Amino acid sequence: MPSVFVQGRPVDSYPRLAPEARRGRVRRITEVGEEVLHKPCRDVTEFGPDLAALIDDMFLTMYTADGAGLAANQVGVDLRLFVYDCPDDEGVRHVGHIVNPVLEPLDTAHRRLLDEGEGCLSVPGATVDVPRPDRAVVRGFDKDGEPVVIEGTGYFARCLAHEADHCAGQLYLDRLSRRERKDALRQVADRRDEVLARRAANAEALSA
């Protein structure tokens, strides 16, 4: 089995950071409570250099925040789009972007839920167990408007579902009980400054 898949296709080798990041600039990551995170995003209708530049920025921003995925509304842009660089449970790395993603519904007879720890770059410092299916299939387009289908299992399936939620205006906090949500926000209050300081140091290191 290949060790890296880019846009769903196997590749022989790949750099530590996606090439898009070298062209990008770091953007501020929005946080829970900001309106752009809590409403459905708009469809992307224009494919061209502006979209490509946004994807470049999103990759670099994701890396500076030590993330596995990042949606456009997490950098303040209300478009249905996300990028990812995420391993699955077999250690296979998956890298790419999806425009106008649609998460396919799964037959409940052929899925199982995994209740495992999940975090979010827009909920800095919090990790809470969230049940997610062990498999995900997302259909959409690449930056040139070509159709793509990305399938993931395990942790990568969690990443795909999490980012698809973002495009629908949902955070993983919306899937929690009131008590679990309060616990997550308490973690943010305790750890946010430390997380943001680490991101700033990463941004400086990557720009050097």
Side-chain angles (χ1 to χ4, degrees):
M1 159 93 62
S3 60
V4 184
F5 283 76
V6 178
Q7 294 296 113
R9 298 186 179 91
V11 297
D12 292 330
S13 63
Y14 203 72
R16 184 176 67 87
L17 302 181
E20 290 91 337
R22 299 195 191 99
R23 303 188 294 264
R25 64 179 179 86
V26 177
R27 299 198 187 195
R28 174 185 170 272
I29 294 178
T30 53
E31 295 186 29
V32 55
E34 296 186 43
E35 182 181 5
V36 71
L37 291 172
H38 300 278
K39 63 180 183 179
C41 296
R42 297 178 293 119
D43 282 347
V44 172
T45 57
E46 296 185 16
F47 294 79
D50 289 346
L51 179 63
L54 173 60
I55 290 169
D56 294 345
D57 292 352
M58 289 170 62
F59 266 106
L60 183 59
T61 303
M62 176 181 69
Y63 289 135
T64 62
D66 296 320
L70 186 74
N73 59 355
Q74 292 184 274
V75 293
V77 179
D78 68 332
L79 290 175
R80 292 180 57 223
L81 159 69
F82 67 82
V83 303
Y84 59 89
D85 189 339
C86 182
D88 61 26
D89 287 357
E90 305 302 319
V92 177
R93 181 184 176 194
H94 300 267
V95 187
H97 65 274
I98 306 180
V99 179
N100 296 337
V102 175
L103 182 66
E104 288 194 349
L106 297 177
D107 182 351
T108 55
H110 297 94
R111 72 169 194 181
R112 65 189 179 102
L113 290 179
L114 301 178
D115 197 10
E116 296 179 348
E118 188 167 272
C120 177
L121 300 185
S122 293
V123 190
T127 304
V128 182
D129 285 350
V130 181
R132 297 272 192 189
D134 63 345
R135 177 173 172 268
V137 178
V138 178
R139 296 181 181 272
F141 302 88
D142 67 13
K143 62 183 174 61
D144 299 313
E146 295 298 321
V148 294
V149 180
I150 305 298
E151 182 172 345
T153 59
Y155 184 67
F156 182 44
R158 179 174 298 273
C159 173
L160 292 173
H162 179 110
E163 300 307 331
D165 272 0
H166 272 302
C167 294
Q170 287 190 313
L171 297 177
Y172 80 91
L173 297 179
D174 299 322
R175 296 181 174 274
L176 304 179
S177 68
R178 182 174 297 183
R179 180 183 59 81
E180 291 168 331
R181 182 184 173 94
K182 285 181 66 176
D183 175 61
L185 294 177
R186 191 178 304 116
Q187 291 182 50
V188 173
D190 290 342
R191 302 171 184 167
R192 177 178 179 274
D193 289 348
E194 176 187 343
V195 170
L196 297 189
R198 186 165 63 246
R199 291 180 187 175
N202 287 346
E204 186 173 341
L206 286 172
S207 66

